[in-house]
Amino acid sequence: MFDLGSVAQTMSRLVSGVGDDQLGDPTPCREWTVADLLAHIHQFTTVFTQNGHKEAVQPPVGLVEDWRVAIPGQLDALVRAWRETSAWQGRVSAGGLEMDAADQATVGIEELTVHGWDLARATSQDLRVDDADLDRVDRFFDLFGPEPFGPAARIPDAATRLDGIVARTGRDPSWRPEH
C-alpha cells in the first residue's frame, strides 16, 4: 500500500489554477483541450474511487458545471478510499481492463502524475513530484511495458526524471502551449 495524497493534492492545486479562459486551450494530450483533460481527470478519479469502495462504476460524462468543486472533492474521496486496506484487495475494472486492485492504484498514481504534467504544461503552472511517487510511476511501466501508449518520445539531453516518464508515454517533454 502507498498513499495517493501527495499527487492528489498537487492535482487539486493544478485544477484550482485553471482559468475559465483556458478551458479551450490545447494540451499535450493530442486531441484534448483543457476542458477535456479536466473531464478525464474527474472521470478516472471517480471510477478509481468507486473501485476502491468496490461499488458499481458510474463515471460522470463530460466536464461537470461545478468542476472547480467536484474534481478536488473527488480527489479527496479517492485518497480516502485508497487509504482503506480493502481497496487494495481483489480485482477491479477500469476502461475495459480488469486488473488486481493494487495494480490499479499504480495506474492511479501514473494517471495523476502524467495528467498533472499535462495540466501544468497546458496552463503554464509548475509541477513537482517527489522521488517516491516517481518510483511508483516507474512501477506502472514494469506492469504494462516500457511503451504502454505507443512509441516513446525523444528525451531531451537536459531532461528531468519526470521528463523521462512523460516521454515514455509518448508525450514530448518540451511541449509548451503556443500563446
Side-chain angles (χ1 to χ4, degrees), residues 54-78:
K54 307 303 188 259
E55 299 171 346
V57 172
Q58 297 177 339
V61 177
L63 185 60
V64 296
E65 191 172 316
D66 67 341
W67 61 272
R68 289 184 186 283
V69 174
I71 297 172
Q74 192 59 59
L75 286 160
D76 288 344
L78 173 75

Side-chain angles (χ1 to χ4, degrees), residues 3-174:
D3 192 75
L4 295 167
S6 175
V7 291
Q9 287 175 341
T10 298
M11 181 64 81
S12 286
R13 179 187 55 79
L14 293 170
V15 168
S16 71
V18 175
D20 289 336
D21 61 331
Q22 295 175 306
L23 293 176
D25 288 355
T27 70
C29 301
R30 293 183 180 101
E31 302 297 319
W32 287 354
T33 64
V34 169
D36 297 328
L37 178 57
L38 289 168
H40 175 69
I41 292 164
H42 191 210
Q43 290 164 347
F44 85 75
T45 55
T46 299
V47 168
F48 284 30
T49 300
Q50 292 166 339
N51 278 336
H53 290 302
K54 307 303 188 259
E55 299 171 346
V57 172
Q58 297 177 339
V61 177
L63 185 60
V64 296
E65 191 172 316
D66 67 341
W67 61 272
R68 289 184 186 283
V69 174
I71 297 172
Q74 192 59 59
L75 286 160
D76 288 344
L78 173 75
V79 170
R80 285 190 312 274
W82 286 87
R83 284 182 175 158
E84 299 297 323
T85 304
S86 59
W88 296 79
Q89 299 168 346
R91 307 258 314 153
V92 295
S93 180
L97 183 63
E98 188 175 314
M99 66 186 78
D100 289 335
D103 291 344
Q104 187 173 68
T106 300
V107 173
I109 203 161
E110 177 273 334
E111 287 284 292
L112 288 168
T113 300
V114 173
H115 288 313
W117 181 88
D118 293 332
L119 189 58
R121 282 295 167 100
T123 59
S124 300
Q125 297 185 67
D126 185 44
L127 174 67
R128 288 190 181 94
V129 182
D130 68 40
D131 283 335
D133 288 330
L134 293 176
D135 289 345
R136 292 178 186 103
V137 175
D138 283 339
R139 171 85 174 114
F140 171 85
F141 296 104
D142 293 341
L143 290 170
F144 296 99
E147 296 180 343
F149 304 109
R154 190 183 80 69
I155 301 173
D157 292 337
T160 65
R161 184 173 177 199
L162 180 57
D163 290 338
I165 286 171
V166 165
R168 291 173 77 180
T169 69
R171 290 163 174 80
D172 177 0
S174 61

